[in-house]
Amino acid sequence: PFGYASAGFRHTDRLVYPLAYPDPADEFCGYILANHEPVQALVAAACWDASLLVSLETGQLVPSKGASVRLYRARIGGAWADYLETLFTHGKGRWNYQVPAEPAGRALLRDLCRAYLRFENHYFARYRSYLLGELANVGANPGRTALDMLDLGNPDLDWVRLAQGMGVEAARADSCERLADLMAQSFTRKGPFLIELVI
């Protein structure tokens, strides 16, 4: 979610909590990207947030976007479960990751984008609380220096080279097609295979 929240939607390497809309003047608040599947990033980011919340609350790993929606409803519930289900069902299912042409669909997508900021901040508040708790557990004073140590974008890490340096096969995917190819390759390996997905 950090990647979508920072580089994908906000084009920055540093996030400030609480988050603001990436582009408040945009029809979709800056959450719809200009590519061949413009709604996909919003759906993926929301499902990542949901997956991590499920993991934080239950310790259960979530294997897919669809599973994140189902497990969020089953394990956490509440109003955000309805939001996630609507976003996933429409964004992936009905709209096939495209911006709908009909006015009612566009209005629903606008509403989902406006609501996503609240869900993003809900996620970041919970994650921030978790991280601050972890700092407190080890006796760290969560000042600027301690918080900077949790900044995943400073410095930029080359995850592929880090993995290879530990003897783990790794590759970088910068498209859905490349990701699919690498996933297929990884299934044929006996050991771990790290895939860095560049957004």
Side-chain angles (χ1 to χ4, degrees), residues 103-186:
R106 287 183 83 86
L108 177 58
L109 180 57
R110 271 193 306 275
D111 290 345
L112 291 168
C113 288
R114 288 186 189 120
Y116 182 60
L117 178 64
R118 292 190 308 277
F119 186 63
E120 253 186 327
N121 279 315
H122 165 71
Y123 161 75
F124 277 106
R126 177 61 185 95
Y127 193 66
R128 184 175 188 269
S129 173
Y130 166 77
L131 292 177
L132 291 174
E134 290 298 301
L135 284 170
N137 287 341
V138 296
N141 180 11
R144 175 65 7 220
T145 302
L147 293 174
D148 282 348
M149 291 189 315
L150 300 172
D151 184 351
L152 296 178
N154 185 18
D156 288 329
L157 298 176
D158 186 334
W159 294 102
V160 171
R161 291 187 67 195
L162 283 169
Q164 290 170 341
M166 297 180 162
V168 173
E169 282 190 83
R172 183 173 291 112
D174 55 6
S175 69
C176 291
E177 294 78 17
R178 177 75 174 139
L179 176 61
D181 290 343
L182 290 172
M183 292 286 290
Q185 285 179 35
S186 73

Side-chain angles (χ1 to χ4, degrees), residues 26-104:
D26 178 65
E27 177 182 8
F28 301 109
C29 307
Y31 288 118
I32 302 303
L33 303 182
N35 61 29
H36 67 286
E37 291 182 329
V39 179
Q40 195 272 340
L42 174 66
V43 172
C47 289
W48 268 105
D49 294 345
S51 295
L52 292 170
L53 287 167
V54 168
S55 294
L56 281 174
E57 299 299 328
T58 68
Q60 182 174 359
L61 296 178
V62 181
S64 68
K65 289 189 290 261
S68 72
V69 173
R70 289 188 301 278
L71 288 170
Y72 192 94
R73 177 170 296 287
R75 303 281 195 256
I76 298 174
W80 289 120
D82 294 335
Y83 169 80
L84 291 165
E85 194 168 88
T86 301
L87 176 61
F88 185 76
T89 301
H90 285 77
K92 182 178 182 190
R94 290 188 185 163
W95 301 331
N96 197 29
Y97 296 133
Q98 300 301 311
V99 175
E102 75 280 0

